[in-house]
Amino acid sequence: MIKDNEYEALEKIVGSQNISREPVILDTYAFQWCAELLNVINDKPPARYYLRPAAVILPSSTEEIQQIVRVCNKYGLKFKAFSTGLGPWNCVSTPRTIQIDLRRMNKIVKIDTKNQYAVVEPYVSGAQLQAEVMKFGLNCHMPGAGPQVSPLASATSMAGPGFTSASTGFAGRNVLGVEWVLPSGDLLQLGALGQKNDPDWFTGDGPGPSLRGIMRGFVGAKSGLGIFTKVAVKLYPFPSKPEWKISGESPNYKFEIPNYLKFYIINYKDWDALTNALRRFEEEEISFMCYYASRGAICASFANSREEMFSYYSIHTRLKRPLTLMIGAQTEREFEYKKKIVEGLIQETGGKDYTKKIKIRDVSYAEALRCLLGFHGFLITGCFQSTHGGMDTIEMAIRMAKLNAPIKRKFIEKGGIADDQGEGVWLATYERGHMAHCEMPTMYDATKPESVVGWVEYAHACDELDLKEHLGIPFFIEGDKQHEWYGPHCMNYHIWLRKIKEAFDPQNIADPGFYITSKKTS
Amino acid sequence: MTLELKKLADYKDIMERCIRCSMCKWIPQVQIKSWKYAQVCPSIDEYNFHAYSGGGRMIIALSLLTERIGYSEELLNIVYRCTACGACAVSCKYLNDLEPLEVIEALRKKIVEDGEGPLPAHKKYMKLTEEVHNPYGEEPSKRLDWLPSDIKVSKNSKLAYFVGCTTSYRRKEIAIATARIFNKAGVEFQLLGEDEFCCGSPILRAGGEAQVLDLIKRNIKAFKERGIETIVTSCAGCYSTLKADYPRYVKHDFKILHTSELLEQLLKEGKLKLKKEVPLTVTYHDPCHLGRCSEPYKEWHGEIMEPIPLVRFPVPPLPLRQGTYGCYYPPRNVLKAIPGLKLVEMERIKEYAYCCGAGGGVKAAFPDFALKTAGRRLEEAIDTGADTLVSCCPFCATNLQDAIKANNAPIKFYDLTELVLKAMED
Ligand SMILES: Cc1cc2nc3c(=O)[nH]c(=O)nc-3n(C[C@H](O)[C@H](O)[C@H](O)COP(=O)(O)OP(=O)(O)OC[C@H]3O[C@@H](n4cnc5c(N)ncnc54)[C@H](O)[C@@H]3O)c2cc1C
Ligand code: SF4
Ligand code: SF4
């Protein structure tokens, strides 16, 4: 594990209170959401813990991180960054790896209201950022994981779809200037931040160097290319009046729905009608949110208990292919205009307005604005994880949903994953429908080995389906084994990915477990 | 969750179901209104490692139970550097049904049962409580030293003012104000005097279950022997212990009221008249044990069904303590009835209020941590523009006033009763 002299070198940087190698602390970093899946994928028993890091360290600045990385280089230790830290991809993949918990780097560095961006450190949460930018009538993108996670992690390192993606984009497309500690310990500044004169955060591409594609690509390097210490993310206008008035006591909060905001649940008879509707609604550029979530997911996302969720059963049976839409406006006139368009499009696309039949509580509006609807997925079995994740056109996303259903049903019959009739789908549009992604949230029981194994077997079948049917790269193709399987089918991208790793980190100092390994190690 | 007392092993399933989402580090997400006041757990705010959060402590408990780790000094420090404020549980249960606070409490009980804890500071006050019936080691005969000679006390009222150890010995001003208000409003009350023993809260929070059971039985017997039907207390710790914890050990049918509830009732009945202007801008600090932690546990006799394979469904629904029914409005309503007083709210209030930092044995074992947490709370109070911080608990009062002194903070502190008394004075 970690030797005394190595530990002391790290301790010198942050002080003894900000580093630990006590098993009691390390275990809390080995335990992760979905760690049991990772264990099974790696041919181990389905334990809720993955590997313990060699030590956990809590730096407070970019300079400290640079020093830590240099110590890692000196002693051949690896490091793994961790912002808000939700998910198995935060686990270290080899024993001599230091977990760098960035919790102490929690500042909103700058809010540029004129150019609509904010600069944040790793441990600023989505809700914190939104609360602050709302004060200027602005909004930020948050991943579906919820408002408690880090916009920086999402923007620089890890996937990035969100419920509001129709209007707030994909996390990876919202990145502007970036401050990046490379695996060597050197500092790299991307975008306008790299300019010699008047460096600033306002753009991620030139006049300074643009390495955005290399930095994260589609799903992010998951700490495999260094540590991002600050990032500028795009901001968007808040969809309605930026007011947040909430009263009552948990869980019975009452939210005063701000003016000019409206939810719609529009039911379509089949996939074709839904495809057309998604395209048409997005062409009109009116939505704040626009996605397809299966009927079960709708019942879960508007309920705050299992009992309430099951009470929607009668609606559940009548919904076929529901489109969830939210519109927002700044003025009465704009709102009326958007509502008229929605009504017209419902007619035109053959949809049925189910909004009034589903009791959408006022607090669901707050949860929608704050990106908390996805979290309701845990209501059902206490645990879920998605398969697939490919991003392309609306048509491809729908095709994926259609092709997946029979496969999912087969695995439901086998008994490992929970029965959603093969229907569990979340399909979101991006940037006014120019892109769409689709994933299959799949409920399982993390405490039952047969269920964990069931999920892994089903996920493998999904990955195979994606290959066979050209459904894009799934979110969780990560690590050597997966990339080497997928790469040859996809223009040998894994060779290029490895070249990037080797150029930036030949010695694999940045934990390559969820990225790709350099073969250049001496 | 339920009235039934459980051992740590009974929570294994709950611990294994933690999703490590970190919701327990923040106030409920829909309540976040600023960067500055978004967090809710004093422990992780101070120590930063995940182990110091509600979820982190669930993992530690699971690791200990499954023997992945053994006892160590570090483990004990982590387990006890937590004010048992319950904020983590409120945030977790907004969209989940896990019980981080109950797990923390069960973990502490296991530590004591295994002879590995609590910490020396807790052992000291437990021993003192056994010997002299209060954790401060004060003479039982001095329990009523606070009582001014002009206060009328009844010998046979069915209502008892349970003063509590901290108020009796350390925050006498609260006892005096409470007794004066009662006299002025015509509320007859008895005092137990030397016969008033500690309610058991500090012992219970440190994990001393065996010791507390004797105390509970003894106290209930004493109340019964005196014909008491209603117990009023001005201490949040006593209040939640009597109201929420006692029935888990010994069922009782005493009515438990906090002074703020009685005062609100007296105001409604017109028995309490607040006429004098108190021109202060105040902000109110919700004590954890008057608020979210005072919610009683409920009986649950049901079964976990699986109507659909893997979908667990408790029938009937499991009662969750989510902080919904804490005592939040009585103190506020009383404050609002004071002429000339302006109430301004902090961002973190009611069921998601930030702890003062004293509870759970922290003030005794980790006074610096307690003071820092109180400092954070003071900053929030000062940010409201208030000149006065008010609360309803002698323990919060002590810690917050210590922090005011230590930080030379530009804010005064009063207990609610002191302000009420000011408004009653002719
Ligand atoms: C209910 C639910 C819904 C979800 N929906 C979505 C969704 O819609 N879209 C989506 O993208 N994801 C979704 N996820 C998965 C989610 O992305 C991740 O769980 C989450 O974004 C990662 O959490 P985090 O922001 O806390 O980042 P972290 O967990 O801290 O980090 C994520 C990854 O990035 C790396 N990393 C973190 N910080 C840095 C840094 N500073 N420098 C370098 N590397 C770093 C980490 O090592 C890790 O591999 C969902 C999860 C849940 C539970
Ligand atoms: S205790 Fe609850 S809120 Fe905290 S990490 Fe676990 S599941 Fe999430
Ligand atoms: S009880 Fe309070 S201090 Fe302890 S973990 Fe929960 S929120 Fe933190």
Side-chain angles (χ1 to χ4, degrees), chain B residues 168-235:
Chain B
S168 298
Y169 295 113
R170 296 287 181 271
R171 298 263 68 87
K172 295 179 184 172
E173 65 278 11
I174 300 176
I176 297 169
T178 307
R180 287 209 187 289
I181 296 167
F182 286 178
N183 273 189
K184 284 189 183 222
V187 178
E188 288 196 5
F189 64 97
Q190 59 162 304
L191 292 169
L192 280 79
E194 256 186 79
D195 210 15
E196 184 185 291
F197 282 24
C198 172
C199 69
S201 170
I203 300 166
L204 196 60
R205 308 293 156 226
E209 188 162 50
Q211 193 183 337
V212 95
L213 185 60
D214 291 340
L215 206 52
I216 291 172
K217 285 184 187 154
R218 186 260 153 217
N219 283 347
I220 289 187
K221 192 162 162 260
F223 298 145
K224 282 194 178 148
E225 279 170 3
R226 287 167 167 263
I228 291 163
E229 289 173 4
T230 302
I231 302 167
V232 183
T233 177
S234 44
C235 173

Side-chain angles (χ1 to χ4, degrees), chain A residues 17-20 22-25 27-33 48-50 52 56-58 82 84-86 101 103-104 106-108 123-125 127-128 131-132 135 147-148 244 246 248-253 304 306-307 310 363 366-367 370 372 375-376 378-383 415-419 443-445 447-448 451, chain B residues 13 15-23 25-26 28-36 38-39 41 44-52 55-60 62-64 66 68-70 72 74-75 78 90 93-97 306-314 316-318 322-325 328-329 347 350-352:
Chain A
Q17 70 281 21
N18 292 312
I19 181 164
S20 178
E22 293 283 340
V24 61
I25 288 193
D27 247 17
T28 64
Y29 290 83
F31 183 102
Q32 260 297 356
W33 171 50
R48 294 287 283 108
Y49 299 80
Y50 201 60
R52 271 185 197 158
V56 181
I57 192 162
L58 290 155
F82 177 103
T84 33
L86 168 63
D101 181 342
R103 189 184 143 84
R104 291 172 72 216
N106 62 358
K107 304 281 177 314
I108 299 178
Y123 199 78
V124 171
S125 79
Q128 282 181 304
E132 292 301 328
K135 294 173 185 168
Q148 82 287 11
W244 201 271
I246 186 153
E249 289 77 39
S250 176
N252 311 317
Y253 291 133
N304 70 352
R306 283 183 201 112
E307 295 74 38
F310 280 101
V363 78
E367 293 183 351
R370 196 142 273 180
L372 206 49
F375 218 81
H376 289 243
F378 289 111
L379 271 181
I380 307 170
T381 55
C383 201
I417 53 176
D419 187 359
M443 263 64 72
Y444 72 101
D445 188 332
T447 66
K448 290 193 173 138
S451 184
Chain B
D13 186 63
M15 297 183 279
E16 284 180 333
R17 285 176 193 282
C18 169
I19 44 179
R20 212 214 169 281
C21 61
S22 295
M23 290 290 186
K25 295 171 186 165
W26 309 91
Q29 295 297 316
V30 289
Q31 287 292 359
I32 292 175
K33 295 169 197 94
S34 72
W35 170 84
K36 194 170 179 188
Q39 310 223 33
C41 169
I44 195 155
D45 282 358
E46 180 59 23
Y47 298 103
N48 288 307
F49 293 108
H50 184 68
Y52 286 90
R57 289 183 173 90
M58 294 235 289
I59 302 169
I60 292 173
L62 182 65
S63 292
L64 188 71
T66 53
R68 282 178 59 90
I69 54 172
S72 64
E74 184 79 2
L75 181 141
I78 295 172
V90 168
K93 283 182 277 188
Y94 177 65
L95 276 182
N96 213 326
D97 54 6
E306 269 198 19
I308 303 169
L310 303 174
V311 179
R312 289 151 27 99
F313 204 83
L318 266 179
Q322 288 167 290
T324 322
Y325 304 107
Y328 307 118
Y329 293 102
E347 274 190 33
K350 298 192 290 184
E351 78 283 8
Y352 57 97

Side-chain angles (χ1 to χ4, degrees), chain B residues 294-314:
Chain B
S294 74
E295 232 175 51
Y297 293 83
K298 291 204 177 120
E299 300 248 13
W300 183 77
H301 303 285
E303 239 183 296
I304 307 280
M305 316 280 276
E306 269 198 19
I308 303 169
L310 303 174
V311 179
R312 289 151 27 99
F313 204 83

